[in-house]
Amino acid sequence: MKHPDAIVVGGGLVGAAIAYGLQRTGLSTLMLDEGDVALRASRGNFGLIWVQSKGINFPPYASWTWDSASLWPTLDAELRDLTGDVLDLHQPGGIEFCLSDDEIKKCRGDIRRLHAHAPQVAAEMLDHKALSKMLPGLGPDVVGGRYCRGDGHVNPLSLLRALHKGLLTKGGEIKSGSPVRSIRHQGGVFTVATNTEQHQSARLVLAAGLGTRDLAEMIGLDIPVRPIRGQNLVTEKLQPFLPFPCATIRQTGEGSVQIGASEEDVGFNDATTPRILNKMAARAVTIFPHLKQARIVRVWGALRIMSPDGYPIYAQSQRFPGAFAAVCHSGVTLAAVHTLKLAKAIAEGALPDAVSAMNPERFANAQT
Ligand SMILES: Cc1cc2nc3c(=O)[nH]c(=O)nc-3n(C[C@H](O)[C@H](O)[C@H](O)COP(=O)(O)OP(=O)(O)OC[C@H]3O[C@@H](n4cnc5c(N)ncnc54)[C@H](O)[C@@H]3O)c2cc1C
């Protein structure tokens, strides 16, 4: 039986950011993770740090996202100093391409609504000519695009590894292959049981991605997340040609080109399908015709953690003080605020004001 100051359930990007963040405030932290058999968005995502489309209709989320993108250089420098790992962080601004006038109209409308409450997210529409100057080799059928200087990208696997390494380096503990089966609460202490062990702590954070829903029920919290599949393709390594991350295409530090951004509601099914992969590849070739020659070396599917309105859910149990839950759809983007702000607030005993509108009660209120 272990007695750390805090237990975090889930070792993906959200759990690891919070666990590392708690440990760096001085709380001894144990992170329990199901392990290799689990569904893990953190190992199958696109690696964008993306602000231009976030919180268009929900100001608190736009601010939270902007804060995170702004704090990313701090997190990057801290993890590099601590672990020696290079996360390949670049924030040169990002582009969403538009292939039709309808797409232009939608992007332009989104900017107008976003700027009404978040003018700091300085997104702007660029026409084909302006984009071609930034991106030689752009296809003639790209009508224009939305550029935002706050966007960037990172190697998400390096980020995950660095957060785990950072937690261990600061004295925290990780137990992989430890699916949590039950949670009990008595006398202000949570007892968390895996198949073989029990751990106790007065502070508990559930950040287990799609697994959070079932775990949260054990402490009376309703965290209504569901899976949304995203498929991905990766090409062989190419000469550098794409200096900006884009909403559906990015070139990694190693040179390969990642093509993504499909969304399908197909339950707990992380398979790939030729129909969707072909559609994604065709759009990428329209944007950059030379990609037609590139060989695809890998494809995969992964499941997003989606709330009913697409925004994060941060919960604090009223019935069991000390228990928290955190789930979100953009755990790469939000890694900096999760580490540097959310974890600090949880260590101090309460969620930060910045996320108060992102509580799960909003779904109950929406139904009444
Ligand atoms: C295709 C795709 C593209 C994406 N692109 C981006 C992007 O460009 N930018 C961005 O910001 N975000 C992106 N995301 C989202 C991002 O990947 C997720 O928000 C993030 O990875 C979620 O992390 P998580 O820790 O909540 O969940 P996960 O990574 O799913 O991890 C959950 C962890 O909880 C553990 N677990 C589950 N149940 C239990 C249990 N009972 N006991 C113990 N452990 C348990 C599992 O082992 C797992 O490791 C993308 C996601 C997908 C699928």
Side-chain angles (χ1 to χ4, degrees):
M1 182 94 77
K2 302 265 183 172
H3 297 273
D5 294 327
I7 293 175
V8 175
V9 183
L13 283 172
V14 176
I18 296 171
Y20 168 67
L22 290 172
Q23 185 72 37
R24 76 192 274 288
T25 69
L27 293 194
S28 63
T29 302
L30 167 66
M31 187 169 80
L32 298 170
D33 189 58
E34 186 174 359
D36 284 343
V37 293
L39 292 162
R40 295 187 288 193
S42 302
R43 290 169 194 251
N45 67 67
F46 203 65
L48 296 179
I49 296 166
W50 209 244
V51 295
Q52 62 170 276
S53 56
K54 301 295 173 65
I56 287 166
N57 297 313
F58 192 40
Y61 184 40
S63 306
W64 188 234
T65 302
W66 180 258
D67 275 3
S68 199
S70 309
L71 283 170
W72 244 103
T74 307
L75 177 65
D76 180 48
E78 179 176 311
L79 288 174
R80 193 177 47 238
D81 288 350
L82 183 65
T83 66
D85 287 1
V86 175
L87 305 191
D88 221 356
L89 171 71
H90 297 282
Q91 293 177 291
I95 298 164
E96 170 142 13
F97 295 110
C98 299
L99 303 191
S100 68
D101 290 340
D102 280 352
E103 290 182 10
I104 292 272
K105 202 169 148 196
K106 182 180 176 306
C107 277
R108 189 167 282 133
D110 285 352
I111 291 181
R112 226 182 350 259
R113 278 181 290 146
L114 186 61
H115 282 177
H117 57 77
Q120 72 277 23
V121 185
E124 57 185 309
M125 293 306 294
L126 300 178
D127 62 14
H128 178 87
K129 199 168 154 201
L131 279 179
S132 290
K133 278 196 194 137
M134 295 162 73
L135 299 168
L138 193 69
D141 292 335
V142 176
V143 184
R146 182 172 59 193
Y147 170 74
C148 172
R149 66 179 166 81
D151 294 324
H153 61 157
V154 69
N155 181 328
L157 296 178
S158 301
L159 167 63
L160 185 62
R161 188 181 54 192
L163 289 168
H164 282 225
K165 219 164 142 183
L167 172 60
L168 294 174
T169 307
K170 289 232 176 243
E173 194 179 354
I174 300 175
K175 282 184 171 274
S176 191
S178 299
V180 169
R181 301 296 185 206
S182 73
I183 301 170
R184 282 180 292 118
H185 182 264
Q186 199 176 17
V189 173
F190 296 95
T191 302
V192 175
T194 67
N195 290 335
T196 52
E197 291 181 325
Q198 293 197 2
H199 306 277
Q200 290 191 324
S201 177
R203 198 169 273 111
L204 173 70
V205 182
L206 303 179
L210 291 166
T212 308
R213 187 176 196 142
D214 290 346
L215 292 166
E217 273 176 16
M218 298 175 194
I219 51 165
L221 286 173
D222 184 20
I223 307 291
V225 282
R226 71 185 206 287
I228 293 290
R229 182 168 71 190
Q231 301 192 34
N232 293 269
L233 304 96
V234 166
T235 69
E236 62 186 322
K237 294 183 177 62
L238 304 176
Q239 287 299 319
F241 74 95
L242 187 49
F244 300 94
C246 305
T248 55
I249 308 177
R250 73 178 190 105
Q251 188 166 28
T252 67
E254 296 87 29
S256 51
V257 176
Q258 187 171 352
I259 300 165
S262 67
E263 291 192 14
E264 297 166 275
D265 192 350
V266 290
F268 286 88
N269 173 353
D270 63 358
T272 55
T273 60
R275 187 178 67 83
I276 297 290
L277 294 173
N278 283 336
K279 203 169 147 193
M280 289 159 61
R283 187 172 171 100
V285 168
T286 303
I287 296 169
F288 290 109
H290 73 273
L291 285 179
K292 193 165 187 176
Q293 322 309 332
R295 269 178 302 193
I296 300 293
V297 294
R298 206 179 138 219
V299 299
W300 72 91
L303 300 180
R304 294 186 181 84
I305 296 120
M306 199 60 77
S307 67
D309 58 11
Y311 303 127
I313 307 177
Y314 301 103
Q316 177 171 2
S317 172
Q318 300 306 322
R319 209 166 121 213
F320 303 118
F324 298 84
V327 287
C328 71
H329 157 240
S330 292
V332 182
T333 306
L334 296 177
V337 270
H338 287 164
T339 302
L340 302 174
K341 288 197 167 179
L342 181 67
K344 186 164 176 284
I346 289 175
E348 287 163 2
L351 289 174
D353 289 344
V355 304
S356 59
M358 292 178 244
N359 62 60
E361 285 87 56
R362 69 186 190 267
F363 305 117
N365 295 340
Q367 282 159 15
T368 54

